[in-house]
Amino acid sequence: ADINKFLEDYSKNSIDDSLFLANKNGLAYVDGDTHIDISGRRYFKLAIDGISNISERTISRINGEYIFVGSVPLYYDNNIIGTIQKIYTDKQMNELFAASLFSSKGYMYVINSEGYIILHTKHINCALKSDNYFRDVYEYGNVEAVRKMKDDIKANKSGFMENAVNGEKTFSAYTPIEQVHDWYLVTSVPTDVIAENGNIVMKIFYMVMVSLVLIFLVSICYFAWNKRRQKRVLEKIAFVDNVTGGNTYNKFLVDVQETLSNKINKQFYILSFDVDNFKYINNFYGFACGDKILRQIYSSVSVWMQPGETAARISGDRFVCFLLDADEERIEALFSAIRNITEENLILHFSAGVYVIKDYDENINLMVDKASVAAQTIKGVLNQHVVYYSKQFDDQTARNEELKRDLKLAIKNDEFVAFYQPKVDINSGKLVGAEALIRWQTKDNRL
């Protein structure tokens, strides 16, 4: 989906109408509103298989004109994710062959491996009897030359031959066009006018091919740069906390999971803590002040931690740490250091719970929950800031859940009974009221 969105955005913003992209399924993005299926085109099939190529003359499905289409694979992380196409009009391609060779007596062809003529110079000596170069040379009586040329092309080799055209001896050289799949360049010149500029056409053609490759490379670099930029933006959203500028809880989970997956033979701990009555700070001093305090807390914790430890803000004023050392004195020292960090002379109080990791495969969220449960048990307890999670918390949690279930059953079974304690005026001895009491009388002695 990200790739398709990029291809579509590129087609909308591209200033070159002759350059268009296609995804791996052959859906070409010609402009923002036009999509064309090119999956059946040979040039696309070759490119998606990793073969750069230029098509034979074909008819445009947009304007019906004759065109040639250059196509190369589009890579990302060493995988082909689509193709890039460059359109050349029939006029543009033929202009590449407008240069005269050898004092206007030379000429050339571009053919495929089966001998069919794709392009040729507009020249009086470029005599054509058919659309197949092999057939033309054969009909001029050059049987052996045709056989050798076919064998060389089949082996993807360069070669040359002497043949006669209308009684004039001609020297012809042929070579594969390396940048273009299944294309061969044939240059011919009468043997009596061979001169030093015999390779000028090859230079012109290769200059065009180099330009085409450069365009493709620029497009690929743009795609890779844009993809990396998007990745950095997404990572910042997912892994950078917008209040503290430090780790998010998602980043914390990733880092802890990576460490535990390595099965390092060390003891680790989860520390969960929050600020007591932090809601009061936000309400009285404002959220800007509250956010500033959260940043100061995270900064102090980051300095306090040892290598291999990590921390994050879960939400609000809740923080979590992954530690190698969770000695109570060490944690108390941290809280002492950050208790008076505020410029408003506020004294911060913390409640912290520690969970000792015994099973590396245990769910990390469950570990954090257990540390948080332990921290909640000392909320409001004077001079106690740290408590370690133990089995009694499991038992208490199970007992609380059982009580919740029994309360629902008691209401359903009418097990709550009202009793009234009379209130008597001691001076008059008269009944002036009563104190209502509710007693829970279970029918099956559950309590």
Side-chain angles (χ1 to χ4, degrees):
D2 289 342
I3 292 173
N4 291 337
K5 181 68 169 57
F6 166 76
L7 298 180
E8 188 167 1
D9 289 345
Y10 181 88
S11 68
K12 289 180 179 178
N13 300 323
S14 176
I15 60 174
D16 188 352
D17 293 337
S18 66
L19 193 67
F20 65 94
L21 312 180
N23 65 19
K24 197 170 184 180
N25 297 320
L27 183 63
Y29 296 81
V30 179
D31 57 45
D33 301 317
T34 305
H35 298 165
I36 297 177
D37 183 5
I38 62 171
S39 59
R41 296 287 187 174
R42 185 168 182 266
Y43 61 80
F44 170 77
K45 293 179 179 179
L46 289 170
I48 209 67
D49 288 334
I51 302 173
S52 301
N53 69 99
I54 298 181
S55 73
E56 299 178 5
R57 182 185 285 108
T58 185
I59 297 177
S60 170
R61 293 165 63 183
I62 299 176
N63 54 27
E65 296 180 354
Y66 282 111
I67 59 171
F68 293 82
V69 181
S71 185
V72 298
L74 178 60
Y75 288 89
Y76 181 70
D77 285 345
N78 297 322
N79 295 316
I80 297 177
I81 61 171
T83 61
I84 308 176
Q85 285 67 225
K86 172 75 173 178
I87 296 175
Y88 291 95
T89 65
D90 191 48
K91 179 181 178 181
Q92 288 173 328
M93 289 299 288
N94 281 291
E95 284 177 351
L96 298 178
F97 296 84
S100 297
L101 303 178
F102 304 103
S103 302
S104 301
K105 294 184 179 181
Y107 48 93
M108 68 180 180
Y109 303 89
V110 173
I111 65 174
N112 64 17
S113 59
E114 297 178 352
Y116 286 99
I117 299 171
I118 298 170
L119 295 167
H120 63 85
T121 51
K122 305 297 183 182
H123 193 285
I124 189 172
N125 290 328
C126 192
L128 297 174
K129 288 187 176 183
S130 70
D131 61 351
N132 190 284
Y133 183 79
F134 295 157
R135 188 182 303 124
D136 283 358
V137 176
Y138 182 85
E139 290 184 2
Y140 279 118
N142 304 287
V143 179
E144 187 62 27
V146 171
R147 182 195 63 77
K148 180 179 183 302
M149 186 177 184
K150 284 184 176 181
D151 289 343
D152 287 343
I153 287 179
K154 186 177 181 180
N156 200 37
K157 292 166 47 180
S158 301
F160 60 89
M161 63 182 179
E162 285 188 316
N163 57 307
V165 177
N166 293 329
E168 183 181 37
K169 288 187 177 181
T170 301
F171 180 86
S172 299
Y174 46 88
T175 185
I177 301 176
E178 295 181 1
Q179 291 91 341
V180 185
H181 174 72
D182 201 36
W183 279 21
Y184 300 84
L185 182 67
V186 181
T187 56
S188 298
V189 65
T191 55
D192 58 346
V193 293
I194 296 177
E196 295 180 356
N197 59 342
N199 63 348
I200 188 172
V201 172
M202 287 294 294
K203 291 182 179 179
I204 294 173
F205 193 81
Y206 281 122
M207 286 176 63
V208 173
M209 294 306 301
V210 168
S211 299
L212 182 61
V213 170
L214 287 176
I215 293 174
F216 294 155
L217 289 176
V218 169
S219 299
I220 292 172
C221 290
Y222 171 78
F223 177 82
W225 170 83
N226 190 59
K227 198 67 180 176
R228 286 194 297 269
R229 181 181 63 83
Q230 290 180 346
K231 182 180 179 182
R232 288 194 297 269
V233 171
L234 292 175
E235 285 181 347
K236 184 175 181 180
I237 294 172
F239 292 156
V240 179
D241 183 65
N242 61 345
V243 174
T244 65
N247 293 336
T248 61
Y249 185 55
N250 287 332
K251 183 64 165 62
F252 175 84
L253 293 176
V254 171
D255 291 343
V256 173
Q257 185 62 60
E258 182 179 356
T259 300
L260 295 181
S261 297
N262 292 331
K263 303 295 183 181
I264 303 174
N265 188 24
K266 291 183 179 179
Q267 180 63 67
F268 295 104
Y269 305 85
I270 296 291
L271 167 67
S272 175
F273 70 91
D274 61 10
V275 182
D276 295 344
N277 296 323
F278 189 76
K279 184 177 180 181
Y280 159 78
I281 296 175
N282 277 335
N283 292 339
F284 192 81
Y285 293 94
F287 287 97
C289 176
D291 289 348
K292 179 181 178 181
I293 291 174
L294 294 177
R295 286 191 293 272
Q296 291 173 328
I297 291 174
Y298 185 85
S299 176
S300 297
V301 171
S302 299
V303 173
W304 168 79
M305 286 190 303
Q306 302 173 0
E309 299 179 336
T310 186
R313 186 179 73 99
I314 300 177
S315 63
D317 60 308
R318 291 182 61 207
F319 291 84
V320 63
C321 301
F322 178 71
L323 305 177
L324 288 164
D325 178 8
D327 182 82
E328 186 172 352
E329 291 184 1
R330 183 190 181 210
I331 298 172
E332 286 286 1
L334 168 67
F335 293 152
S336 295
I338 61 178
R339 188 165 288 121
N340 300 297
I341 59 175
T342 66
E343 297 176 359
E344 291 75 13
N345 295 321
L346 288 171
I347 299 177
L348 303 178
H349 297 279
F350 301 90
S351 298
V354 178
Y355 177 72
V356 181
I357 299 177
K358 298 179 181 178
D359 181 4
Y360 282 9
D361 296 323
E362 186 177 4
N363 184 277
I364 299 172
N365 284 310
L366 183 58
M367 298 179 190
V368 175
D369 287 343
K370 289 180 178 180
S372 299
V373 167
Q376 290 300 313
T377 63
I378 56 170
K379 278 285 185 182
V381 178
L382 189 63
N383 296 327
Q384 186 174 4
H385 307 111
V386 183
V387 64
Y388 291 78
Y389 189 88
S390 63
K391 188 177 182 302
Q392 73 180 43
F393 292 109
D394 288 330
D395 298 337
Q396 184 61 45
T397 300
R399 176 59 176 161
N400 290 340
E401 292 300 319
E402 184 179 358
L403 282 175
K404 291 178 185 179
R405 183 198 63 191
D406 289 341
L407 279 170
K408 290 181 180 180
L409 288 174
I411 295 172
K412 182 178 179 181
N413 297 332
D414 294 326
E415 295 180 353
F416 291 107
V417 180
F419 290 85
Y420 299 93
Q421 179 71 36
K423 297 173 67 177
V424 179
D425 187 329
I426 60 174
N427 294 321
S428 64
K430 294 181 180 180
L431 181 66
V432 294
E435 180 182 357
L437 303 173
I438 295 294
R439 291 182 178 169
W440 186 356
Q441 296 180 345
T442 61
K443 298 178 180 180
D444 53 5
N445 296 318
R446 291 193 307 275
L447 297 178

